[in-house]
Each structure stands twice: as C-alpha cells, then as structure tokens.
Amino acid sequence: MATVTYALRGLGGELSRDLSVYAYAGQQFADGVPPYLGILNRAGPLAHMIPALGVWAARLVGADELLGMRVLFLGLSVACVVLTYLVGRNAFDSRSAGLASAAALLCFAGFVEYAAGGPREKTPMVLLLLVAFWAMGRRRWVLAGVSLAAATLILQIAFFVGMPAVVVALAVADADAPRQDRLGDLLRVLAGGLGTLTAVCGYFLAVGAMPQFLEAFLLINARYTVANPLLAGLGASLSRLVDGYGLSLVVIAAGLVAVLALSVREARRATRTSRRPVVLLALGAATVGGGVWLSRDFDSWPDLFPLLPVAALGVGAIVAEAQRSLSPRRALALTLAFSLAATALAVSTSVRGRTDTLDLQRAWTVRLESHLPPGARIWSINAPQPLVLSGRRNPSRFQMFGDGLDTYVEDTYEGGLDAFVARIDTERPALVAIGFPRTKRWVNALQSDYRRVGIAPGWIWYASRSLPRSTVTDLRRAGPR
C-alpha cells in the first residue's frame, strides 16, 4: 500500500534547491568525486553517497539519473513504513499497534512529499533510526551502534535523537544483568558505532579528503551555522509545521505526547516491577533529546523528520493501550478505522501534491543548453538544479551561501567573497543560475556583465554579455518567462 500511495504523487515534482544539493552530490560521487569536494554541504558524507546508488542504477539501465535517485528514495520510504510496522509490533507485542504505527508514518504529509520527490537526506536517516529502534528491542547492540552512527553520518541531528534512546535502552535492558554483561553490551554499541565511523574516516584518508570531511561535518556546523531557536519565533515555526504537515500534524503531536506520557508512567512502574518496555522508554528519551535540539535550532518543517518515527510509534502505543481497556472487537475496530483514515489522508496528500514542474525545469534547461556555443559553461549560485538536469559540473564546490556559509567562504576563500565574485567575472561562464532567495551581492555582481534571460521554477538565468547578440536573443526566446 505504501508503494502505491507514494507512487500516486508521481516522480515529476519540482526539483528544489535542497533536493538538488543531494542529487548533484550523488552525481559527483558517482563520478568519483569525494563528498564535499564536488559541492560543499554541512550534512554528513553518507548524504552524498546514498543518492549515488540511484545514479549508478540509472546508468546501468540507461535511465534518467534523477529518476533513478527518486525511485531509490521511494523504495527507502516504503522500507521505513514496513520497518515501522515491525518495530511497533515487536515493541508493543501487538500486530494492531504495528499496523497503526505504519499507517501513522504513511500519512505524514512531509514524509509523503519527499517519498516521491527526493533525494533528501532525511529519508535514509529516518530508516536508520528505525533500524536502531528495532535493534534495541531485539538487544542487537552492535547493529544499534552501526545504525545510529550511520544515521548521524547522514545528518548530525540524528545523534541527538538516537543517542539518548540507546543509552536508556541499555540501562533498562541491562538493569538486572551482572556488571560484566552490562559493560559487554555497552562495548558492543561502541564497537558498532566506532567501527562505522572508522570505515568512513578510512575512506576519506584513502582519497586524501580527510581535512574536507572534518571541516564540513564538524567545523562549519560548530562555528558558522546560524541557529534559529524554535521559541524565538514560535508563531512562525508553527506556521511552517502546518504548511509542511497539514492535518497530519495532529497525529504527530498525539504520538509524541503519548510517548512522553506513557514512557514516564512506565519508568515509574519499572522501579516496582521487572517489566521494562525497552523500546517505549527509549522512545521517550529520543523525544526529549530531539525536542531539546529543535528548541535550539529549527528552520522549517523538515527539521521534525528525526521525530517522525517516534511519533508514528507513539500512535502504536496508543492502540496498545486501547487494547488493554477495550474489548478485542472494539480495539480492532479502532485500529482499522484509524488505519483506513490515515491511508485515505496519505492518498489524498499524494494525489493533491502531484505536479509536472520537473518536466518544465528539464525542458527549459535543455532548450537553453541547445543555444549555447560548444564548450560553454554554466555556473550555479544557490541553484544546483540546472547542473543536475544538464549533467554539468560546477566550476567551484561553493554553491550555497546561506545560514553562515557566506561567512565561512569569507574567512577561508583566498580574498574572501569579493575574490570569489571576481572569479566569476574572470572565468566568464556563458550562463549563471542564481537561486532564490536572491541577494544583492550576486545580482549586483552580474549587473554589468550579464543579462537576465529567463526565470525558471527555482532560479533565474543570466547570460554573459560576451555572447553574440543573436545567441542572447535565442536564449531569451528559448527560456522561461
């Protein structure tokens, strides 16, 4: 059902700036360029590597590379729903709870959007967090360490959700175990996590890109990323969440509240009984950890992704509680009613969100390219979309300049941002794509040497004045208006 639901949205949704960052990174890695050397990005290196699987698969069968990445991420999204069912069923010893958990994740609008409109790093991060929750429930501590480390190496915020969960799961599961056994389980988690990190570090050492890895993964986030506290603009934050999740935000909130309430209750019971629901208590810790992080830094609705599997499993916990207080028939009716309603909401979200904007972006890029002279180059400023669609490589790894990255370039690029702008003027690419939101720095830099020739969904085209007048005229006629 998840496959059909997500497929209804289609694979032609708009290629946004954020999506194209990971699509372009995947193409570069597939071409042999290590993460961060093709495009500077603050996410983990696996966020660059995973989309390359879709690129390689597409090249193997002669298909479109972006289509290959989107099919891959649709499959990862379906796997998330299936794994949510397994975690919920095992954690609450109830198939109904597993079904409700899966249906809840299925209906989350933001998750539906990225399921068919990837690639986005947050989808595989959710999958690996679910693997970690499953491993905790099964006492597979090595796997828990591996999956948590891999999730963090996709996106750093996964650590603040997964680590509290692992710590609590270890403490609860080993509460009555001998000290030697508890130490052994802790070492297994560390072995899995450090082994994964060591493998990634070994790769960067082998390709000579260890400084770039440390710089992008740790330094930029620690020194240059601009935090946006959730409570500083609570009204605007809530508005963004509603925009991203719509009605499903109610389900998310209910799931998270249920996790917190039930985990507190079970923590109190655990002091008086040997029954200790490992996964539920771990989910409570994950909710607290994720909530603390989001209160520190929240940009928009995708930042809630690390807590989506927790919220979905919280819905399963509600169903498990209902089974204890209702008759089997009523509990089953409640589960089926919610699951059908959630599926209907997911289908509606998927169908209503179906667009063909990608076809327009692709067509405009191809038409503009056809009028360029041989050997002409395209430069991207905050707009990797045309690079992805054309298969071209940007002359610089610096493409993104928001949220502190402009300060990083100013501090680390020889001559600062002024020198970087001057480089564009010196190398004189035929076309420059500037993404939204535009800044006066880039517009002013292009004012004298470039002419605007069209506006595509997500970026503006500028053509060099050094091109023949007839070519500029052709580009204006071929490009979007």
Side-chain angles (χ1 to χ4, degrees), residues 128 131-132 134-136 138-149 188-189 192-193 196:
L128 285 165
V131 172
W134 181 87
M136 292 174 213
R138 293 287 183 173
R139 275 72 164 178
R140 307 282 179 84
W141 301 118
V142 173
L143 179 58
V146 169
S147 52
L148 174 57
R188 290 182 182 91
V189 172
T196 304

Side-chain angles (χ1 to χ4, degrees), residues 18-100:
D18 290 346
L19 297 176
S20 59
V21 166
Y22 299 103
Y24 180 76
Q27 289 174 322
Q28 293 303 294
F29 185 71
D31 289 337
V33 182
Y36 309 120
L37 272 63
I39 180 172
L40 181 64
N41 181 28
R42 288 168 294 191
L46 297 187
H48 295 231
M49 297 176 178
I50 292 174
L53 299 175
V55 176
W56 285 324
R59 291 176 181 177
L60 186 63
V61 299
D64 179 79
E65 293 180 1
L66 180 59
L67 179 62
M69 287 184 272
R70 289 195 161 177
V71 170
L72 169 66
F73 276 70
L74 190 149
L76 294 177
S77 300
V78 172
C80 287
V81 175
V82 173
L83 194 53
T84 300
Y85 167 79
L86 295 176
V87 176
R89 183 195 66 184
N90 295 342
F92 307 115
D93 194 24
S94 165
R95 292 182 180 179
S96 294
L99 177 62

Side-chain angles (χ1 to χ4, degrees), residues 232-256:
L234 185 58
S237 299
L238 289 175
S239 177
R240 295 188 191 104
L241 288 172
V242 172
D243 288 343
Y245 296 103
L247 184 60
S248 66
L249 185 61
V250 176
V251 182
I252 295 172
L256 292 176

Side-chain angles (χ1 to χ4, degrees), residues 423-464:
R423 178 183 169 187
I424 299 177
D425 185 57
T426 300
E427 298 193 10
R428 195 62 64 87
L431 283 176
V432 175
I434 295 186
F436 300 113
R438 295 178 298 165
T439 61
K440 291 183 179 180
R441 174 187 291 273
W442 303 114
V443 175
N444 293 340
L446 299 177
Q447 201 74 42
S448 59
D449 297 320
Y450 286 82
R451 301 174 183 175
R452 196 175 80 174
V453 294
I455 303 177
W459 72 92
I460 300 177
W461 286 113
Y462 289 86
S464 172

